[in-house]
Amino acid sequence: MLLIEDDDIIGEMVCMYLTEEGFLVLRAHNGRDGLAALREFEPELILLDLMLPDVEGTDLCNSLRNLTPVPIIIISSNSKVSEKIEAFTVGADDYLCKPFSMHEMKARIQALLRRSKQVHPTEEPLVQQNGTVPPTDLNINLEKRTLYVRGEPVDMTFSEFELIRLLYEHPERVYRREDLINALRGFDSYVNDRAIDVHITNLRRKIEANPKEPKYIKTVWGVGYKFVL
């Protein structure tokens, strides 16, 4: 995995701990080196400090997300909810506040890697139980983790893909925000109702012809969301 952290004490502690736990870790000390390492290293997960000497952390997170679909965990001393929401908006999949437990960090890393490595036997296009292809402009390739909208691939964050996959696989089922939080984050991982709403808004912008009048992702007022074919 790739660690982008300029603090030598924290950087060395994280590298040492994760290496002892069997992970291959490459550390970059700033945003420029982090982007260069991403192209050469091809990590399965990125740990990103928001306070870097050469670039704004959220801007770097957005750049990384545009280059790779792998999970991104923010590590930051800023515990403000607004900062966390901004991080999720630009592509982060999880957020750890400093100081944090190494054991908690490992658990969150394993949870994200487990979800990103899930092997699904279903191939694109998705087929319903009666053997027919759903009459929709959306198709998902679960193994390649790609979404096609009217034949064109759409870039998504890890969390956005997990969310649309869940909704797409269970059309007409109404999901409460609590259900979606649990599906995306699992136990003891930061996310809230507002983060879910941000993901839904971003997905609608990417898949709906008119995001203000969504055809696929419907709001069930007072409850949550559902996917309509």
Side-chain angles (χ1 to χ4, degrees):
M1 70 185 61
L2 174 62
L3 169 65
I4 306 176
E5 169 65 74
D6 67 315
D7 188 296
D8 286 333
I9 295 177
I10 295 176
E12 289 302 316
M13 288 178 59
V14 171
C15 285
M16 183 180 300
Y17 175 81
L18 291 177
T19 299
E20 291 177 351
E21 293 297 317
F23 294 97
L24 177 62
V25 185
L26 176 66
R27 179 188 169 198
H29 293 74
N30 54 55
R32 181 189 60 190
D33 291 346
L35 287 171
L38 175 66
R39 297 183 178 93
E40 299 177 5
F41 186 51
E42 296 185 357
E44 293 182 311
L45 183 141
I46 299 171
L47 289 165
L48 172 62
D49 178 24
L50 285 184
M51 299 295 291
L52 295 170
D54 62 336
V55 66
E56 178 66 33
T58 50
D59 291 340
L60 178 58
C61 183
N62 188 50
S63 297
L64 291 168
R65 176 53 64 217
N66 289 331
L67 294 171
T68 178
V70 303
I72 299 174
I73 299 179
I74 297 297
I75 50 177
S76 174
S77 57
N78 193 331
S79 61
K80 292 182 179 179
V81 173
S82 59
E83 191 76 10
K84 296 177 181 179
I85 294 300
E86 183 178 3
F88 286 124
T89 302
V90 296
D93 296 288
D94 207 345
Y95 196 108
L96 270 172
C97 291
K98 300 176 182 178
F100 51 83
S101 161
M102 292 291 175
H103 296 296
E104 179 185 6
M105 177 187 65
K106 176 187 173 184
R108 295 192 183 202
I109 289 172
Q110 289 177 326
L112 286 174
L113 289 177
R114 184 168 58 248
R115 293 186 178 95
S116 67
K117 291 179 179 178
Q118 281 181 330
V119 177
H120 301 278
T122 309
E123 291 286 345
E124 177 209 351
L126 208 62
V127 178
Q128 294 177 318
Q129 291 183 354
N130 61 9
T132 61
V133 177
T136 173
D137 291 330
L138 307 182
N139 287 307
I140 292 180
N141 186 311
L142 298 175
E143 290 189 349
K144 294 182 179 179
R145 296 185 62 81
T146 53
L147 171 69
Y148 296 87
V149 178
R150 291 173 285 278
E152 295 295 325
V154 175
D155 292 328
M156 290 178 296
T157 67
F158 177 84
S159 296
E160 287 171 355
F161 183 87
E162 289 300 303
L163 183 57
I164 191 62
R165 178 186 64 79
L166 180 66
L167 295 171
Y168 188 83
E169 289 184 313
H170 302 92
E172 303 294 341
R173 175 177 172 177
V174 178
Y175 283 93
R176 299 173 302 164
R177 286 178 175 82
E178 180 182 351
D179 298 329
L180 298 176
I181 289 172
N182 291 334
L184 284 184
R185 299 295 168 200
F187 179 73
D188 196 30
S189 185
Y190 177 84
V191 72
N192 59 17
D193 289 0
R194 174 58 181 156
I196 292 295
D197 292 339
V198 168
H199 286 317
I200 291 293
T201 297
N202 289 338
L203 278 173
R204 282 173 170 165
R205 289 172 179 166
K206 293 177 179 182
I207 71 174
E208 300 283 0
N210 183 356
K212 294 183 178 180
E213 297 182 4
K215 172 183 176 182
Y216 298 112
I217 303 177
K218 298 285 190 178
T219 299
V220 181
W221 297 107
V223 182
Y225 299 98
K226 69 176 180 178
F227 184 85
V228 178
L229 292 176

